Amino acid sequence: VQLQASGGGLVQAGGSLRLSCATSGFTLDNYAIAWFRQAPGKKREGVACIATSATSAKSVDSVKGRFTISKDAPQNMVYLQMNNLKLEDTGTYYCAAADNGGPYHYCSVRDPYDYWGQGTLVTVSS
């Protein structure tokens, strides 16, 4: 199981970024995928997750209406579209996978997740 996050960068407040998570070594629809982030000096927090179906997607209140998680199962990709970025969105973003054992229509933005990719840094400037 491998995950590789990309797409981070420097953006001004109010701007947008799209993060990508390339997955391999497993059947994407059998896993929950989540995006977590960690700001300097703060605990890691879950941001959004998605399971088998698009309707399973959820996000935390602090990003609701601004961030959208989606996936392209045939391409083994998961995305996090981030709009109207705020200074407090700055941090290293990680994608993670949890084995649901098969198709499942629920995910959680909380640990534990079994597999983690390397992070991609998002910096929002004023």
Side-chain angles (χ1 to χ4, degrees):
V1 174
Q2 291 190 324
L3 304 102
Q4 184 169 357
S6 62
L10 175 64
V11 63
Q12 284 192 322
S16 298
L17 279 176
R18 188 177 81 155
L19 304 184
S20 298
C21 179
T23 73
S24 62
F26 62 99
T27 301
L28 187 55
D29 278 346
N30 291 343
Y31 280 64
I33 305 295
W35 285 96
F36 288 79
R37 68 185 178 188
Q38 187 165 22
K42 294 191 176 181
K43 289 176 60 177
R44 186 172 62 196
E45 64 171 344
V47 174
C49 67
I50 191 166
T52 302
S53 61
T55 55
S56 68
K58 62 177 66 169
S59 57
V60 295
D61 287 345
S62 60
V63 307
K64 204 159 286 186
R66 300 188 298 120
F67 290 13
T68 303
I69 188 170
S70 63
K71 70 178 188 180
D72 183 343
Q75 296 296 323
N76 298 310
M77 297 292 295
V78 178
Y79 304 100
L80 185 69
Q81 177 66 43
M82 306 187 295
N83 298 329
N84 190 21
L85 282 159
K86 302 179 180 181
L87 296 179
E88 54 264 39
D89 295 321
T90 292
T92 300
Y93 285 69
Y94 302 87
C95 55
D99 187 354
N100 281 336
Y104 196 60
H105 302 288
Y106 173 82
C107 66
S108 171
V109 294
R110 297 181 180 178
D111 271 325
Y113 272 72
D114 305 306
Y115 306 96
W116 293 80
Q118 92 294 351
T120 186
L121 179 62
V122 172
T123 304
V124 184
S125 65
S126 58

Short mmCIF file of all heavy atoms in Angstrom, two decimals, residues 95-118:
data_model
loop_
_atom_site.label_atom_id
_atom_site.label_comp_id
_atom_site.label_asym_id
_atom_site.label_seq_id
_atom_site.Cartn_x
_atom_site.Cartn_y
_atom_site.Cartn_z
N CYS A 95 -2.24 12.38 3.15
CA CYS A 95 -3.34 11.49 2.87
C CYS A 95 -3.05 10.14 3.54
O CYS A 95 -1.90 9.75 3.68
CB CYS A 95 -3.59 11.32 1.37
SG CYS A 95 -2.19 10.79 0.37
N ALA A 96 -4.11 9.50 3.96
CA ALA A 96 -3.99 8.25 4.70
C ALA A 96 -5.10 7.31 4.29
O ALA A 96 -6.16 7.74 3.83
CB ALA A 96 -4.05 8.53 6.20
N ALA A 97 -4.84 6.01 4.46
CA ALA A 97 -5.80 4.99 4.05
C ALA A 97 -6.10 4.04 5.19
O ALA A 97 -5.21 3.70 5.98
CB ALA A 97 -5.24 4.21 2.86
N ALA A 98 -7.36 3.62 5.26
CA ALA A 98 -7.78 2.62 6.23
C ALA A 98 -8.53 1.52 5.49
O ALA A 98 -9.41 1.81 4.69
CB ALA A 98 -8.66 3.24 7.30
N ASP A 99 -8.19 0.28 5.80
CA ASP A 99 -8.79 -0.86 5.12
C ASP A 99 -10.19 -1.12 5.67
O ASP A 99 -10.36 -1.45 6.84
CB ASP A 99 -7.89 -2.09 5.33
CG ASP A 99 -8.33 -3.29 4.51
OD1 ASP A 99 -9.40 -3.23 3.87
OD2 ASP A 99 -7.60 -4.30 4.52
N ASN A 100 -11.20 -0.97 4.81
CA ASN A 100 -12.57 -1.26 5.21
C ASN A 100 -12.94 -2.72 4.98
O ASN A 100 -14.06 -3.12 5.29
CB ASN A 100 -13.55 -0.37 4.45
CG ASN A 100 -13.63 1.02 5.02
OD1 ASN A 100 -13.33 1.25 6.20
ND2 ASN A 100 -14.03 1.98 4.21
N GLY A 101 -12.05 -3.47 4.37
CA GLY A 101 -12.32 -4.88 4.13
C GLY A 101 -13.26 -5.13 2.97
O GLY A 101 -13.65 -6.27 2.73
N GLY A 102 -13.64 -4.08 2.25
CA GLY A 102 -14.57 -4.21 1.13
C GLY A 102 -15.30 -2.90 0.96
O GLY A 102 -15.05 -1.93 1.69
N PRO A 103 -16.23 -2.84 0.02
CA PRO A 103 -17.00 -1.61 -0.16
C PRO A 103 -17.73 -1.22 1.11
O PRO A 103 -18.34 -2.06 1.76
CB PRO A 103 -17.98 -1.97 -1.29
CG PRO A 103 -17.30 -3.07 -2.03
CD PRO A 103 -16.56 -3.85 -0.99
N TYR A 104 -17.66 0.05 1.45
CA TYR A 104 -18.25 0.52 2.71
C TYR A 104 -18.55 1.99 2.54
O TYR A 104 -17.79 2.72 1.92
CB TYR A 104 -17.25 0.29 3.85
CG TYR A 104 -17.85 0.39 5.23
CD1 TYR A 104 -18.88 -0.46 5.62
CD2 TYR A 104 -17.36 1.30 6.16
CE1 TYR A 104 -19.42 -0.38 6.90
CE2 TYR A 104 -17.89 1.38 7.43
CZ TYR A 104 -18.92 0.54 7.79
OH TYR A 104 -19.45 0.61 9.06
N HIS A 105 -19.65 2.41 3.09
CA HIS A 105 -20.11 3.77 2.80
C HIS A 105 -20.03 4.67 4.01
O HIS A 105 -20.90 5.52 4.25
CB HIS A 105 -21.53 3.70 2.23
CG HIS A 105 -21.60 2.86 0.99
ND1 HIS A 105 -21.08 3.28 -0.21
CD2 HIS A 105 -22.07 1.60 0.78
CE1 HIS A 105 -21.25 2.33 -1.12
NE2 HIS A 105 -21.84 1.30 -0.55
N TYR A 106 -18.95 4.50 4.75
CA TYR A 106 -18.73 5.35 5.93
C TYR A 106 -17.25 5.58 6.07
O TYR A 106 -16.43 4.71 5.80
CB TYR A 106 -19.28 4.67 7.19
CG TYR A 106 -18.93 5.44 8.43
CD1 TYR A 106 -19.69 6.54 8.82
CD2 TYR A 106 -17.82 5.08 9.20
CE1 TYR A 106 -19.35 7.27 9.95
CE2 TYR A 106 -17.48 5.81 10.33
CZ TYR A 106 -18.25 6.90 10.70
OH TYR A 106 -17.92 7.62 11.81
N CYS A 107 -16.89 6.77 6.50
CA CYS A 107 -15.49 7.04 6.84
C CYS A 107 -15.46 7.97 8.05
O CYS A 107 -16.46 8.58 8.41
CB CYS A 107 -14.74 7.65 5.66
SG CYS A 107 -15.31 9.31 5.20
N SER A 108 -14.29 8.04 8.65
CA SER A 108 -14.09 8.91 9.80
C SER A 108 -12.89 9.79 9.55
O SER A 108 -11.92 9.37 8.92
CB SER A 108 -13.87 8.07 11.06
OG SER A 108 -13.47 8.89 12.14
N VAL A 109 -12.93 11.01 10.06
CA VAL A 109 -11.78 11.89 9.95
C VAL A 109 -10.86 11.74 11.14
O VAL A 109 -9.92 12.52 11.32
CB VAL A 109 -12.20 13.37 9.80
CG1 VAL A 109 -12.93 13.58 8.48
CG2 VAL A 109 -13.05 13.82 10.97
N ARG A 110 -11.12 10.74 11.95
CA ARG A 110 -10.25 10.50 13.11
C ARG A 110 -9.36 9.30 12.87
O ARG A 110 -9.72 8.36 12.17
CB ARG A 110 -11.10 10.26 14.35
CG ARG A 110 -11.94 11.46 14.74
CD ARG A 110 -12.75 11.18 15.98
NE ARG A 110 -13.56 12.33 16.37
CZ ARG A 110 -14.40 12.35 17.40
NH1 ARG A 110 -14.54 11.27 18.16
NH2 ARG A 110 -15.11 13.42 17.69
N ASP A 111 -8.19 9.31 13.51
CA ASP A 111 -7.33 8.13 13.52
C ASP A 111 -8.08 6.99 14.19
O ASP A 111 -8.99 7.24 14.97
CB ASP A 111 -6.05 8.43 14.28
CG ASP A 111 -4.97 9.00 13.37
OD1 ASP A 111 -4.91 8.60 12.20
OD2 ASP A 111 -4.19 9.83 13.84
N PRO A 112 -7.72 5.73 14.03
CA PRO A 112 -6.47 5.36 13.37
C PRO A 112 -6.64 5.08 11.88
O PRO A 112 -7.66 4.55 11.47
CB PRO A 112 -6.07 4.07 14.09
CG PRO A 112 -7.38 3.45 14.46
CD PRO A 112 -8.31 4.61 14.74
N TYR A 113 -5.67 5.48 11.12
CA TYR A 113 -5.55 5.10 9.74
C TYR A 113 -4.30 4.24 9.60
O TYR A 113 -3.33 4.43 10.31
CB TYR A 113 -5.49 6.33 8.83
CG TYR A 113 -6.88 6.79 8.42
CD1 TYR A 113 -7.72 7.40 9.34
CD2 TYR A 113 -7.35 6.57 7.14
CE1 TYR A 113 -9.00 7.78 8.98
CE2 TYR A 113 -8.63 6.95 6.76
CZ TYR A 113 -9.45 7.56 7.69
OH TYR A 113 -10.73 7.93 7.33
N ASP A 114 -4.38 3.28 8.68
CA ASP A 114 -3.34 2.25 8.64
C ASP A 114 -2.10 2.67 7.85
O ASP A 114 -0.98 2.25 8.17
CB ASP A 114 -3.91 0.97 8.00
CG ASP A 114 -5.17 0.49 8.70
OD1 ASP A 114 -5.11 0.30 9.92
OD2 ASP A 114 -6.20 0.30 8.02
N TYR A 115 -2.31 3.42 6.80
CA TYR A 115 -1.22 3.73 5.88
C TYR A 115 -1.19 5.23 5.63
O TYR A 115 -2.24 5.87 5.49
CB TYR A 115 -1.41 2.98 4.55
CG TYR A 115 -1.58 1.49 4.73
CD1 TYR A 115 -2.84 0.92 4.76
CD2 TYR A 115 -0.47 0.67 4.89
CE1 TYR A 115 -3.00 -0.44 4.94
CE2 TYR A 115 -0.62 -0.70 5.06
CZ TYR A 115 -1.90 -1.24 5.09
OH TYR A 115 -2.06 -2.59 5.27
N TRP A 116 0.02 5.75 5.54
CA TRP A 116 0.20 7.19 5.40
C TRP A 116 1.16 7.50 4.26
O TRP A 116 2.15 6.79 4.05
CB TRP A 116 0.77 7.77 6.70
CG TRP A 116 -0.19 7.68 7.82
CD1 TRP A 116 -0.46 6.59 8.59
CD2 TRP A 116 -1.05 8.73 8.29
NE1 TRP A 116 -1.43 6.90 9.52
CE2 TRP A 116 -1.81 8.22 9.36
CE3 TRP A 116 -1.24 10.06 7.92
CZ2 TRP A 116 -2.74 8.97 10.05
CZ3 TRP A 116 -2.17 10.82 8.61
CH2 TRP A 116 -2.90 10.27 9.66
N GLY A 117 0.87 8.57 3.56
CA GLY A 117 1.81 9.08 2.57
C GLY A 117 2.69 10.14 3.19
O GLY A 117 2.48 10.56 4.34
N GLN A 118 3.66 10.60 2.43
CA GLN A 118 4.46 11.72 2.90
C GLN A 118 3.63 12.98 2.77
O GLN A 118 2.63 13.00 2.09
CB GLN A 118 5.76 11.82 2.08
CG GLN A 118 5.72 12.72 0.87
CD GLN A 118 4.79 12.24 -0.24
OE1 GLN A 118 4.27 11.15 -0.22
NE2 GLN A 118 4.57 13.11 -1.21
#
